[in-house]
Amino acid sequence: MRNLDMELLRTFVAIAEFSSFAAAADRVHRTQSAVTQQMQRLESQLGFTLFQKAGRTKQLTTQGAKLLEYAVRILALNDEAISMLDMDDVTGSLRIGAPNDIAETILPSLLSRFAKIYPQLRMEIHVGRSPFLMQALRRGEIDLTVSTRKTDAHPGIILRTSPTVWLCSSDYIHNPANPVKLVVADEPSLFREIALQSLDQAKIPYRISYVAPTLVGIKAALRAGLGITARSIEMISPELRVLGAAEGFPRLPDVNFFLYLRDEQVGTIARMVFDTLSKGTHDHVRGLSSQ
């Protein structure tokens, strides 16, 4: 049975990410010739070619693309195992912010992963709206936060990309002859922006029938049949239904849920936790403008 070399896989993933041997060499702190030799060794072990030239860049072959899926998972498991062994004795507290939308979806799996890697760590959860969580992060009131807001002010990774849908109560009756009744959060709100921009672009008349400062209020208004709203699929529940093209509603853009770290947390527990997650996540946030 052949065994895959972790260092070769790490270089392979770096090349696939940057489509360049030179850029990958910088990432793995090796010379370009050393990276080339590593890939020759890996291809020799596997018995097939991993990359093909595409102009000045390198593209994965069919076999290379298959290997990449496994390489990412193998490296993530390796790094998590090492972290768990090294960090069993890490103690202290970690303050984590999370929007209401993901308190029952993304957050539990995130906390479970934290707990496995850092069993002695005490976690404080701050649930709120994304804009205010980002403000708390800037003020130093929390160490990490999940947010739908884009920013280049903090290191970040994408945890999940979710579809955005139009939601209403299960018994809501939409009359296309009348302006759409909207249930929205007060400003600032990403989903409010998405809803208004999408309806404006589709030239669909609307009126804001209900404004709420919290997700609890938005859900209550929907259940009461006061209108419809735009939210990520994380908010779907049995008492709500999705409106779509059949009812004349435009498709909504997907939203990203980011994990952000305080800039000044380098060398602390929060930095260690963030770095652990980053190793298993390819979607690093670089130079995103604020939204």
Side-chain angles (χ1 to χ4, degrees):
M1 177 67 70
R2 291 173 294 179
N3 293 315
L4 293 170
D5 186 299
M6 290 291 175
E7 292 305 318
L8 299 185
L9 288 183
R10 204 173 296 280
T11 300
F12 167 69
V13 170
I15 297 170
E17 180 179 356
F18 292 101
S19 300
S20 164
F21 276 39
D26 289 338
R27 166 61 67 86
V28 298
H29 307 294
R30 293 178 181 270
T31 64
Q32 187 172 342
S33 61
V35 166
T36 300
Q37 291 173 6
Q38 281 189 315
M39 289 306 96
Q40 290 173 345
R41 285 170 51 200
L42 184 58
E43 289 177 337
S44 177
Q45 290 176 6
L46 296 171
F48 53 77
T49 303
L50 296 171
F51 296 97
Q52 58 191 4
K53 288 185 178 180
R56 295 183 177 179
T57 63
K58 295 286 187 179
Q59 288 188 351
L60 292 169
T61 62
T62 301
Q63 293 287 69
K66 290 180 181 178
L67 176 62
L68 180 62
E69 296 181 25
Y70 289 100
V72 170
R73 289 156 56 189
I74 290 169
L75 290 172
L77 285 173
N78 173 80
D79 294 345
E80 183 171 318
I82 296 300
S83 295
M84 289 181 69
L85 293 172
D86 289 343
M87 305 305 175
D88 276 351
D89 58 349
V90 172
T91 60
S93 63
L94 183 67
R95 301 168 299 174
I96 307 167
N100 291 277
D101 309 51
I102 59 95
E104 297 179 359
T105 53
I106 299 176
L107 186 59
S109 61
L110 195 63
L111 296 179
S112 175
R113 188 170 181 188
F114 288 165
K116 288 178 182 177
I117 300 174
Y118 307 97
Q120 304 302 320
L121 194 61
R122 181 170 62 90
M123 290 177 280
E124 301 175 10
I125 310 304
H126 299 250
V127 177
R129 289 175 54 189
S130 280
F132 306 131
L133 290 172
M134 295 303 292
Q135 293 173 12
L137 191 70
R138 285 193 293 271
R139 293 192 298 264
E141 296 169 359
I142 52 180
D143 305 310
L144 295 164
T145 191
V146 179
S147 175
T148 56
R149 312 301 292 191
K150 289 183 180 180
T151 181
D152 57 1
H154 303 277
I157 55 175
I158 296 176
L159 294 175
R160 178 186 295 186
T161 300
S162 294
T164 308
V165 295
W166 297 103
L167 289 176
C168 65
S169 68
S170 56
D171 57 357
Y172 181 81
I173 299 175
H174 170 61
N175 185 348
N178 296 329
V180 173
K181 293 186 292 183
L182 283 181
V183 174
V184 295
D186 54 5
E187 296 184 285
S189 166
L190 173 63
F191 291 105
R192 176 181 178 139
E193 294 171 13
I194 288 175
L196 298 186
Q197 290 175 6
S198 297
L199 292 176
D200 285 337
Q201 291 173 0
K203 300 188 184 318
I204 296 175
Y206 62 87
R207 66 180 180 86
I208 296 177
S209 63
Y210 187 87
V211 178
T214 65
L215 191 61
V216 172
I218 290 174
K219 287 182 176 180
L222 292 180
R223 295 191 188 102
L226 300 184
I228 71 170
T229 196
R231 302 296 300 196
S232 69
I233 59 171
E234 278 73 22
M235 204 176 101
I236 294 177
S237 60
E239 66 270 23
L240 302 178
R241 68 184 179 92
V242 175
L243 296 169
E247 292 86 5
F249 285 91
R251 188 186 184 282
L252 297 169
D254 295 344
V255 295
N256 291 319
F257 287 96
F258 304 96
L259 178 68
Y260 289 113
L261 167 73
R262 284 182 59 196
D263 289 334
E264 60 268 34
Q265 290 293 326
V266 176
T268 65
I269 293 173
R271 176 86 248 182
M272 292 160 54
V273 171
F274 180 81
D275 287 346
T276 300
L277 286 179
S278 298
K279 291 176 182 177
T281 306
H282 269 288
D283 296 318
H284 292 259
V285 181
R286 296 188 181 93
L288 292 175
S289 59
S290 298
Q291 178 173 308

